[in-house]
Amino acid sequence: MAENNIMEKIAALCKRRGFIFQSSEIYGGLNGFWDYGQLGAELKRNLRDTWWRAMTREREDVEGLDAAIIMHPNIWKASGHTETFADPMVDCKTCKGRFRADQLAQIPCPQKSSKPVADCDGEKTGARPFNLMFQTYTGPIQSEENIAYLRPETAQAIFVQFKNVLESSRQKLPFGICQIGKAFRNEINPRNYIFRSREFEQMELEFFIKPDEVIEKIHGSVAKWHEGADLSTPQPNWGWEMWHRYWVDQRVKYYESIGLGRDALDFYWQKKEELAHYAKATVDILFKFPFGTEELEGIAARGNYDLTQHSKFVGKPQDYFDEDTKTRYIPHVIEPSAGLDRLALAVITNAYHEETITDAKGKTETRVIMRFHPRIAPFKAGVFPLLKNKPELVAKAREVHRLLKPHMNCFYDEAGSIGRRYARQDEAGTPFCVTVDFETLEGVKDGADSGKKDTVTLRHRDTSAQERVSISDLLGKLLPAIS
Ligand code: GAP
């Protein structure tokens, strides 16, 4: 399928079924902003929950944080964002457009679309930096002193709360602080649907480790990464290289746990000359989107840059007292930083499958099946009475729905043929459908006792296979599959 065609189909499905809507659509939309509808909101919530669980709940060495979006403006001076978080831009005095200097050859001229901006006749300025941070004011007076920014990353809140979390949690190095939250970047060129937006959500961990010199002092030597290294159990003498590899490995395992297998992913190790000035190494985990293989998450070994900068700016060391060496130092950091919206797009494109069905009369129909991993699917189960005009079936189906509802998000549906109801749930990505029929009530089939009273039909989305399951066994069967 052509890449544009498939992205158009996916966007149409997302709108039709309530995954993703254009923000402010009835006003013509706002470029770079998106809303998640009823299925999208559930999907995102499930992604957040799986990440939070893997990164903090299931670990003893990571604490959570939920910080304010607007923070002291000096934080962005210390982090370097005020000075350097900018794209070089060129203005065209003829068409009044503003374009990224490194994309002039690709962007069509707004007045003559057959030519790229680089070759059009418009009079252009030289490249000038354009800061990507959204600016606002705190309080009623819009003055220089009241300038504040919507955070362009969640990471800085973690650095500036490092001491508070360290002291209140009584953690010892190595340990991490993680956060999920909104970030804002006034991207020049939002593109590829929700892939690059101006408002998005990040899921970030700052994992604080001892500097290699300290480990050397305590253990005599530092374990460095080597081919075939065992990354399953962290060791006290691990240096930053091992921790960096460990987190790449952990993050890949996480993606696998929500249905993004290794063949859907790729890796890019940034070259020395591409690294940010504070980074010792950065690996990008890429996903094979229909429009190309692009970054899902970056995992950087950031040294002690940020805590050192904040120490300088506040005049107080943001450091750690090491009981083993009786010394104080600024920890180093490994940072796995993922985009939630990109992940939502990755799991949506990964789940999208078309199936062509031919009926008995030879009529063909193409149906969409969203094969989400059950753990992240918006609805876990659809519950149906076989017929809606049989009150006993409806009452029993309602009873089954009430049984499941406290344990999982499930959808009750009695409208249309049973085939249509299955198809609707396939399109929403619901892994299981439960149908209450006459056997459920009577245990009778073809006039004979089938011994199947109080059983239901459990239908599996990906195979369309159906099995008979006791209502009392339903939870025991479904819960392990979705948790
Ligand atoms: N604290 C490090 C940091 O912010 P980044 O590579 O700029 O690093 C991390 O961002 C992740 O945030 C990216 O891998 C991507 O998933 C997501 N992200 C960044 N900019 C985005 C945008 N404009 N729209 C959607 N997601 C974005």
Side-chain angles (χ1 to χ4, degrees), residues 305-378:
Y305 175 79
D306 299 87
L307 287 179
T308 305
Q309 283 295 100
H310 291 303
S311 302
K312 278 191 208 148
F313 271 71
V314 298
K316 268 194 223 132
Q318 301 301 298
D319 60 1
Y320 174 78
F321 180 71
D322 193 313
E323 303 280 357
D324 295 330
T325 57
K326 307 285 180 231
T327 53
R328 289 193 165 275
Y329 52 80
I330 296 191
H332 285 226
V333 170
I334 307 293
E335 179 196 61
S337 169
L340 175 56
D341 308 79
R342 279 191 195 175
L343 180 54
L345 185 58
V347 296
I348 286 172
T349 59
N350 191 63
Y352 186 88
H353 282 84
E354 289 183 357
E355 207 174 79
T356 304
I357 298 170
T358 309
D359 69 13
K361 293 181 192 144
K363 212 174 119 206
T364 59
E365 186 193 7
T366 301
R367 295 192 310 124
V368 173
I369 304 177
M370 294 299 282
R371 293 197 172 135
F372 292 120
H373 191 291
R375 214 168 262 145
I376 58 166

